[in-house]
């Protein structure tokens, strides 16, 4: 990547090439139209994608305008009545939406608090495994749940946690406890969300840290062993500081998506008894919009989420660029 | 390593291996139990607790799944959306990524920003739903294929890979008078096979697993996909009593609900389980490709 960035800028190359060809065209004076015509095959390649992005990504953004309207399907965005910030005012004073907002942030916070360190710890543990075959086998197995949909994983979880036939309650009963209906219990539902999310993404999330660990200098370890440092000391003083930059960047990027509390997961696991603790912005948007047909209100909630999400992504990307000296970040 | 391990180090090794074995068991057990439940007899399936093995194998739950009136349609539709969505997504991604990777292409920074912006900001659920409605794609497979086909993230990964290919490799073809489309097809794409393979796999898994768009955009049974079929058996549990989903023969001993659910889960899982061990390294490699800054 950096190699091609250091290549000569085009202005420096093109004039010479033209001179050699005996033409005296100053590229700065070439009209934009001329440039496009010179690259007509590239334009042809760009067009399908451009049209796709305009229709399927930018038209819906234009549709966000309906959050400032009382949208009617018959009149469309052009004809519907403008109502200003009415829907936003409603949302921010609606106890229901405030609860949804609180749930979203709380679930996300817990997922970051427990779910973020988990793959780091797993990577550190796997790094201590010397038997290559065993290591590869454990990696293959722990990556596996990442490749299944939350519909399937939701089904697995429902079976495992079933109060009558599930294995978890069988173990509880074995030790003389009372069976717990985990998925319908307000106190248990959020911890279950956090635990199952970790279970699904733990192995996959460790890949990036395994790569960072593989990049650490083995000579430093050899020197430490000469100095008599044990495995624990090596991990504490060499391994951990070595992967810290990766950890920091991953954390910053993760915080940028704090309003995504996991729609796929919750939508496949929740039920009315636990709505109070598990209703998040995305499930609220779905129910308001596609079940109650309050398009404008629902879109306002979506807009609220998108705008805060954008601000967070911009902020966190700025921070991660700053932190890593421009090495990391999405762009 | 030649250095003799201390007692503490040996204990640490033991604990580490024990932990990893336990972790692998918790990962594998749910899938194993599902497999066993799907072939257990009614009495066994209704029993509590561990389902490590079955002494009375009974395949009636699988038969019930295969007898379902929608299963063939669901399989065909899932293959159509997976192949169609992946092919369309790859076509758009590759053709758009190439001009964006060319320094000489006018306004390429603007077009790249146009793509990247959609990663950070989007219209969201309702405006997209209304778009699909206005395009008259409602209750067609196109609604499943088109809106989600292109991932801006993957497009940028491909673009970055194209940028990293030395221009000199394309020069020879250019001197011979080949146009950009020919160069992309004959020179650039063959060199980009690793990244194209990874992105293709990601898109395929994404299409295969996608279910929420089916919930939103389709209602007719003829547009059923496997994930929705699974969802109505396992999550909403509306399928069992629905004659368009399941055949209901009152006079026959029915397999346990748990067994039918398990059979449905295994049926949808098996294709991924079969290809996964062979393709795992490509999936994982892609994570690192994606980590390169563009």
């Amino acid at each position: 990547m950096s190699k091609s960035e250091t290549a000569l800028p085009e202005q420096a190359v093109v004039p010479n090439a033209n001179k050699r060809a005996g033409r005296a065209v100053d590229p700065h004076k070439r009209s934009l139209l001329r440039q496009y015509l010179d690259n007509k095959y590239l334009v042809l390649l760009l067009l399908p994608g451009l049209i796709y992005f305009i229709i399927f990504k930018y038209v819906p953004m234009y549709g966000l305008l309906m959050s400032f309207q009382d949208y009617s399907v018959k009149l469309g965005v052009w004809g519907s009545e403008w109502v200003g910030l009415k829907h936003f005012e409603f949302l921010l004073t609606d106890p229901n939406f405030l609860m949804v907002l609180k749930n979203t942030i709380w679930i996300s916070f817990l997922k970051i608090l427990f779910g973020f360190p988990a793959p780091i710890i797993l990577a550190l543990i796997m790094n201590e495994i010397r038997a290559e075959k065993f290591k590869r086998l454990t990696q293959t197995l722990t990556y596996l749940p990442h490749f299944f949909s939350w519909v399937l994983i939701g089904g697995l979880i429902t079976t495992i946690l079933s109060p009558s036939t599930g294995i978890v309650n069988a173990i509880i009963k074995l030790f003389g406890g009372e069976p717990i209906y985990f998925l319908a219990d307000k106190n248990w539902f959020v911890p279950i969300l956090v635990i199952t999310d970790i279970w699904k993404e733990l192995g996959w999330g460790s890949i990036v840290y395994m790569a960072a660990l593989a990049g650490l200098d083995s000579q430093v370890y050899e020197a430490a062993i000469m100095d008599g440092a044990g495995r624990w000391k090596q991990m504490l003083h060499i391994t951990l500081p070595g992967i810290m930059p990766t950890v920091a960047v991953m954390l910053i990027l993760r915080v940028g998506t704090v309003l995504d509390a996991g729609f796929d997961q919750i939508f496949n696991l929740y039920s009315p008894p636990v709505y109070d603790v598990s209703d998040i912005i995305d499930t609220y948007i779905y129910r308001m919009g596609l079940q109650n047909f309050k398009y404008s209100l629902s879109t306002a909630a979506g807009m609220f989420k998108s705008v805060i999400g954008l601000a967070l992504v911009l902020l966190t990307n700025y921070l991660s660029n700053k932190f890593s000296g421009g090495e990391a970040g999405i762009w | 390593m030649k250095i003799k391990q201390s007692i503490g180090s040996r204990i640490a090794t033991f604990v580490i291996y024990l932990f990893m074995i336990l972790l692998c068991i918790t990962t594998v057990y749910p899938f194993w139990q599902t497999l066993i439940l799907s072939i257990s007899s009614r009495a066994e399936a209704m029993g509590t607790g561990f389902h490590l093995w079955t002494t009375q194998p009974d395949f009636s739950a699988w038969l019930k799944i295969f007898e379902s009136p929608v299963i063939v349609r669901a399989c065909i539709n899932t293959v159509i959306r997976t192949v169609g969505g992946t092919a369309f997504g790859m076509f758009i991604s590759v053709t758009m990524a190439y001009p964006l990777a060319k320094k000489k292409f006018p306004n390429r920074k603007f077009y790249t920003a146009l793509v990247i912006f959609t990663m950070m900001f989007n219209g969201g659920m309702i405006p997209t739903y209304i778009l699909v409605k206005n395009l008259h794609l409602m209750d067609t497979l196109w609604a499943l294929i088109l809106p989600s086909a292109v991932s801006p993230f993957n497009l940028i990964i491909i673009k970055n890979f194209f940028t990293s290919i030395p221009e000199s490799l394309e020069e020879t073809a250019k001197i011979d008078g080949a146009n950009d489309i020919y160069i992309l097809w004959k020179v650039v794409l063959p060199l980009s096979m690793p990244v194209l393979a990874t992105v293709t796999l990601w898109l395929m898994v994404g299409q295969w697993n996608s279910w929420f768009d089916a919930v939103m955009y389709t209602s007719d049974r003829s547009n059923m996909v496997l994930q929705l079929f699974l969802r109505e058996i396992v999550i909403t549990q509306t399928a069992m009593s629905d004659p368009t989903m399941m055949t209901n023969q009152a006079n026959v001993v029915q397999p346990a609900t748990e067994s039918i659910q398990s059979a449905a889960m295994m049926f949808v899982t098996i294709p991924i389980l079969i290809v996964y061990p062979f393709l795992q390294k490509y999936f994982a490699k892609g994570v690192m490709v994606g980590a390169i800054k563009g």
Side-chain angles (χ1 to χ4, degrees):
Chain A
M1 188 57 229
S2 59
K3 211 166 144 193
S4 60
E5 291 293 344
T6 53
L8 289 170
E10 55 179 309
Q11 278 85 355
V13 180
V14 172
N16 291 335
N18 283 335
K19 226 176 264 170
R20 238 180 285 139
R23 271 184 279 154
V25 183
D26 182 358
H28 298 286
K29 282 185 186 158
R30 276 192 308 174
S31 72
L32 204 57
L33 182 68
R34 188 71 231 160
Q35 288 184 50
Y36 277 114
L37 285 176
D38 284 348
N39 294 301
K40 56 181 181 292
Y41 291 105
L42 290 180
V43 173
L44 212 60
L45 286 171
L46 181 80
L47 272 180
L50 193 61
I51 294 167
Y52 178 88
F53 269 85
I54 289 170
I55 294 179
F56 286 100
K57 308 283 176 184
Y58 282 90
V59 169
M61 282 186 214
Y62 165 75
L64 280 174
L65 286 177
M66 74 175 84
S67 61
F68 304 109
Q69 297 178 324
D70 273 336
Y71 181 78
S72 111
V73 180
K74 235 193 300 174
L75 299 173
V77 176
W78 277 104
S80 296
E81 188 199 342
W82 294 89
V83 294
L85 294 174
K86 181 179 116 178
H87 299 296
F88 293 95
E89 276 164 24
F90 174 83
L91 282 177
L92 292 177
T93 52
D94 176 26
N96 205 0
F97 183 75
L98 294 178
M99 182 194 80
V100 161
L101 190 59
K102 198 199 90 189
N103 287 343
T104 308
I105 294 171
W106 177 238
I107 292 170
S108 250
F109 170 74
L110 289 178
K111 279 185 176 173
I112 293 176
L113 185 66
F114 295 102
F116 184 78
I120 303 173
I121 295 167
L122 179 66
L124 289 175
I125 289 174
M126 286 212 267
N127 197 41
E128 295 295 319
I129 299 174
R130 296 281 167 262
E132 277 304 316
K133 269 197 177 151
F134 181 76
K135 190 174 180 174
R136 245 195 322 258
L137 180 71
T138 55
Q139 280 177 317
T140 305
L141 289 178
T142 50
Y143 296 168
L144 187 62
H146 171 80
F147 293 101
F148 298 107
S149 70
W150 270 111
V151 175
L152 181 94
I153 304 290
L156 289 182
I157 291 166
T158 314
T159 323
I160 298 288
L161 296 180
S162 156
S164 54
T165 57
I167 184 171
V168 176
N169 275 308
I171 294 171
I172 291 175
K173 275 185 256 180
L174 203 67
F175 288 101
E178 283 292 305
I180 302 166
Y181 196 175
F182 290 100
L183 292 178
D185 188 320
K186 275 185 200 176
N187 296 321
W188 277 104
F189 191 76
V190 173
I192 294 296
L193 288 180
V194 176
I195 293 167
T196 55
D197 190 49
I198 293 175
W199 178 79
K200 188 173 187 287
E201 301 299 334
L202 177 65
W204 186 252
S206 70
I207 293 178
V208 68
Y209 301 110
M210 290 300 286
L213 287 169
L216 296 181
D217 189 356
S218 61
Q219 286 180 346
V220 182
Y221 286 98
E222 280 156 26
I225 293 168
M226 287 300 166
D227 290 345
R231 284 164 84 171
W232 180 250
K233 284 216 160 125
Q234 288 173 40
M235 196 191 82
L236 220 57
H237 297 293
I238 306 172
T239 313
L240 262 183
I243 61 167
M244 249 344 180
T246 313
V247 172
V249 169
M250 295 303 285
L251 180 63
I252 290 168
L253 292 177
R254 178 68 185 83
V255 170
T257 59
V258 74
L259 290 187
D260 289 313
F263 174 78
D264 282 26
Q265 179 194 27
I266 293 174
F267 196 70
N268 282 310
L269 286 174
Y270 80 162
S271 55
V274 292
Y275 275 177
D276 281 358
V277 292
S278 62
D279 205 8
I280 55 168
I281 298 179
D282 291 309
T283 50
Y284 179 89
I285 293 171
Y286 173 76
R287 279 209 317 281
M288 280 300 154
L290 298 185
Q291 292 186 328
N292 300 345
F293 301 105
K294 293 180 177 170
Y295 287 145
S296 284
L297 180 66
S298 176
T299 306
M303 176 97 146
F304 178 82
K305 188 191 162 214
S306 287
V307 169
I308 293 184
L310 175 64
L312 281 173
V313 169
L314 289 176
L315 178 72
T316 53
N317 191 69
Y318 167 77
L319 288 176
S320 78
N321 269 327
K322 207 173 153 178
F323 195 89
S324 63
E327 284 301 306
I330 319 173
W331 65 93
Chain B
M1 239 171 273
K2 293 263 165 17
I3 297 159
K4 204 182 162 207
Q5 291 200 324
S6 66
I7 301 284
S9 184
R10 279 190 199 169
I11 293 173
T13 308
F14 176 75
V15 171
I16 284 168
Y17 277 73
L18 189 69
F19 173 82
M20 286 312 295
I21 290 168
L22 284 176
L23 183 68
C24 289
I25 291 174
T26 46
T27 310
V28 173
Y29 178 76
F31 294 96
W32 178 253
Q33 167 182 293
T34 309
L35 179 66
I36 294 301
L37 266 179
S38 75
I39 55 169
S40 293
S41 65
R42 188 175 171 85
E44 272 186 318
M46 305 286 268
T48 328
F50 298 85
H51 295 272
L52 290 171
W53 196 245
T54 173
T55 49
Q56 306 153 283
D58 178 346
F59 295 91
S60 56
W62 282 87
L63 283 180
K64 188 125 175 106
I65 294 294
F66 288 130
E67 279 168 6
S68 162
V70 293
I71 187 80
V72 176
R73 195 68 250 177
C75 288
I76 294 171
N77 287 343
T78 306
V79 170
I80 291 175
R81 81 159 296 174
T82 304
V83 174
T86 306
F88 181 74
M90 285 308 287
F91 172 76
I92 296 282
S93 305
V94 165
T95 53
M96 195 170 185
Y98 190 60
L100 298 187
K102 292 281 114 195
K103 284 223 162 59
K104 61 175 180 177
F105 191 70
N107 300 358
R108 73 172 184 129
K109 288 236 160 78
F110 168 75
Y111 296 116
T112 310
L114 213 64
V115 172
I116 288 178
F117 186 66
T118 64
M119 299 200 307
M120 301 181 281
F121 192 78
N122 56 65
M125 197 185 292
I126 305 301
T128 310
Y129 174 85
I130 287 173
L131 170 74
V132 169
K133 213 171 183 173
N134 289 342
L135 291 173
H136 299 289
L137 299 178
M138 222 51 179
D139 228 345
T140 66
L141 289 180
W142 291 110
L144 307 183
I145 292 174
L146 292 177
S148 61
V150 180
S151 138
F153 181 76
N154 291 339
L155 199 160
I156 296 298
I157 286 176
I158 296 174
K159 186 215 117 188
N160 288 348
F161 194 90
F162 286 169
T163 314
S164 71
I165 297 174
E167 294 255 350
S168 57
L169 289 173
E170 301 169 35
E171 289 302 319
T172 332
K174 198 155 278 176
I175 290 164
D176 291 343
N179 67 47
D180 290 308
I181 297 176
Y182 185 86
I183 293 171
L184 170 64
W185 185 250
K186 285 285 179 187
V187 182
V188 176
L189 287 192
L191 288 171
S192 311
M193 275 314 168
V195 72
L196 296 183
T198 300
V199 173
T200 305
L201 283 174
W202 279 354
L203 289 183
M204 288 185 89
V205 172
Q207 291 282 350
W208 181 272
N209 281 337
S210 181
W211 57 276
F212 185 61
D213 47 8
V215 171
M216 274 201 298
Y217 303 138
T218 64
S219 53
D220 197 274
R221 289 285 174 244
S222 67
N223 292 319
M224 178 64 76
V225 289
L226 281 175
Q227 293 289 336
L228 196 59
F229 177 72
L230 180 66
R231 192 177 138 78
E232 295 191 4
I233 289 177
V234 178
I235 306 287
T236 58
Q237 304 188 357
T238 47
M240 300 296 180
S241 52
D242 181 352
T244 65
M245 293 285 290
M246 286 295 179
T247 47
N248 293 308
Q249 299 139 304
N251 51 349
V252 192
V253 178
Q254 296 287 326
T257 311
E258 282 85 355
S259 294
I260 299 175
Q261 292 177 335
S262 299
M265 286 195 264
M266 283 324 286
F267 183 72
V268 176
T269 311
I270 280 169
I272 293 184
L273 283 180
I274 289 173
V275 298
Y276 172 72
F278 305 102
L279 301 177
Q280 188 246 115
K281 57 176 183 214
Y282 294 101
F283 284 116
K285 213 180 276 168
V287 172
M288 295 331 295
V289 176
I292 302 165
K293 186 182 152 74

